Amino acid sequence: MLGRILDAAHHAPSVGFMQPWNFMLIRSDEVKRGVQTLFAKANEEAAQMFESEKARLYQQLKLEGIMASPLNICITCDSEKAGPVVLGRTHDKAMDLYSTVCAVQNLMLAARAEGVGTGWVSIFDKAELKKLLNLPEHVTPVAYLCLGYVDFFYQKPELESVGWRKRLAVEEQVMFDRWDNQESDNEENQALLDELIRRSESE
């Protein structure tokens, strides 16, 4: 099952077919405890950044399952894997990071199809995480995931379910030709917007 999940992640699209990702499988309790320590420090700092009701809700959220999950996976981006000049990355050096995120999404979708839950832990000092995992200078940790079977799956994203934030209306995210141009005098464009509104209202 894990092989299928990793294979799905590895078949993600990447700019210039650079395939910049690596998958670090973390099973050691010692390493997990180190990551959890980094999380606890950063989480305490993060909690101070929210005010009033948000701060109270933040304290109630389950934001990591580092020790509880049987497997942690750190998905990294190796900026040197495809060489110094990469097709499609010549003018935007971040394309290797964006490509790696495609692998992250593939992994999360494949895990869900297998009935496995994933949690993306992002609250820690990245430099400290690199040091803990002994990552080379040119390798960046992109996603730290906790994987394991769960009691249930939320029908909506958990943060939406608990009221942290509402889902934005899709039709309000669509623009035409220029930034902040949501008005359309084109019948085809208007039909698209009408269909998006109809679908969102029917959910």
Side-chain angles (χ1 to χ4, degrees), residues 14 23 50 61 76 92 124 130 132 147-148 150:
S14 62
F23 308 101
F50 298 98
L61 296 173
T76 62
D92 189 343
F124 43 61
K130 286 189 64 166
L132 176 66
L147 275 73
V150 295

Side-chain angles (χ1 to χ4, degrees), residues 170-182:
V170 64
E171 66 272 12
E172 294 176 4
Q173 317 312 310
V174 178
M175 302 176 194
F176 298 99
D177 301 319
R178 298 287 190 277
W179 180 262
D180 206 26
N181 180 13
Q182 294 179 314

